[in-house]
Amino acid sequence: MSPPDSEPPQGDARAYERVSHGYAPGGRPVAPPPVPLDKIVGDVVDNLSATAKAELALIEARGELALHGASWSAAWGVIAASALGVAMLALAFGAILVLTPLVGPLAATLIVVILLLLIAAFAGWRARLSYGDIRTALRRDLTNESPDD
């Protein structure tokens, strides 16, 4: 390995003239003129106004998306509830038809009606518990234990 040269290479001395040594070759750069305060304030107001408009547009778009989702969810929920109602009717009629030869038509109808009322009572109880969770989640003051009616 050869020792490092202490002298710069003689080939192209002009190439080193363009290298910056902490100052510009033509002297100090000219400082840009100061920006007036009213221009700065105007830019800030314009930026805040544009930001507020963008936020409002975002909120509006999110609301429209939520409305779209809720309306389709409700539509498909109605279809599902209707299908479930028809299926429950078919199940009830089928249960009555199966029980009629064993216990008679009146007893079969009463058994099916009582069973369906028990299922409805259980579902209503569970719905009431879930409604309480919703009320708790939407309460303005979560630490306040008083009812908010």
Side-chain angles (χ1 to χ4, degrees):
M1 185 166 167
S2 66
D5 294 334
S6 60
E7 295 180 19
Q10 299 294 334
D12 190 14
R14 296 179 57 95
Y16 292 110
E17 291 177 3
R18 291 180 300 219
V19 176
S20 173
H21 300 285
Y23 59 90
R28 294 190 149 246
V30 178
V35 179
L37 183 60
D38 59 343
K39 171 81 168 106
I40 294 172
V41 170
D43 288 346
V44 169
V45 169
D46 290 343
N47 288 340
L48 287 176
S49 175
T51 302
K53 288 177 184 175
E55 286 292 328
L56 289 175
L58 176 64
I59 290 170
E60 183 179 345
R62 289 178 70 185
E64 288 177 12
L65 179 63
L67 179 63
H68 175 77
S71 61
W72 277 107
S73 177
W76 286 111
V78 166
I79 292 170
S82 299
L84 179 65
V86 170
M88 291 295 288
L89 282 172
L91 179 68
F93 287 139
I96 290 171
L97 289 175
V98 167
L99 289 175
T100 297
L102 300 174
V103 293
L106 180 62
T109 304
L110 287 176
I111 290 171
V112 170
V113 167
I114 289 171
L115 183 64
L116 288 175
L117 286 175
L118 287 173
I119 291 171
F122 177 75
W125 174 69
R126 293 297 300 172
R128 183 173 168 86
L129 290 177
S130 296
Y131 174 72
D133 292 343
I134 292 170
R135 286 186 60 195
T136 300
L138 296 179
R139 185 177 293 150
R140 276 185 241 145
D141 183 13
L142 291 177
T143 60
N144 186 5
E145 295 298 325
S146 65
D148 34 40
D149 285 344

